[in-house]
Amino acid sequence: MFGDVLRNEIKAKGYSQKEFAQKMNISPSAVNAWVKGTRKPDIDSVIIISRILNVSTDYLLELTTNSINETTAALSQNEDPLLQKIIDTWS
């Protein structure tokens, strides 16, 4: 469930829900609703969430079990710096 993935990733990155809400520039109650599953974020918010937490949108939406960090680890030495540059640009 999206809320479970979001809760786990927020915690894994060391944020409180309030801190994460501040990074998203939204209310803590919105994050709480996403985590509880009573509301779903729009697609633009999902993209922002993935950038802040440094995970793929597919991972957040449970289309894959690999977060971006696990995927990056499997890249060749030539691909990794390019991907990191892209991630840094969008973070």
Side-chain angles (χ1 to χ4, degrees):
M1 181 173 166
F2 176 83
D4 295 329
V5 174
L6 180 59
R7 179 187 310 107
N8 292 338
E9 287 301 318
I10 289 171
K11 185 176 180 179
K13 300 302 190 265
Y15 299 124
S16 68
Q17 286 186 22
K18 182 178 180 180
E19 291 168 330
F20 183 73
Q22 289 171 337
K23 286 192 148 305
M24 291 276 309
N25 200 27
I26 60 172
S27 70
S29 63
V31 173
N32 190 38
W34 296 343
V35 167
K36 287 184 175 181
T38 57
R39 288 184 24 203
K40 301 282 188 222
D42 61 32
I43 191 64
D44 292 331
S45 295
V46 172
I47 293 168
I48 294 168
I49 292 166
S50 75
R51 291 176 183 163
I52 291 171
L53 297 177
N54 195 30
V55 295
S56 69
T57 54
D58 284 357
Y59 178 74
L60 287 172
L61 299 173
E62 297 183 285
L63 301 174
T64 182
T65 57
N66 292 329
S67 72
I68 196 165
N69 292 333
E70 292 168 343
T71 304
T72 303
L75 296 174
S76 74
Q77 288 181 342
N78 292 336
E79 294 168 320
D80 189 42
L82 177 59
L83 181 58
Q84 190 59 53
K85 185 175 181 179
I86 294 168
I87 291 168
D88 291 343
T89 300
W90 290 102
S91 295

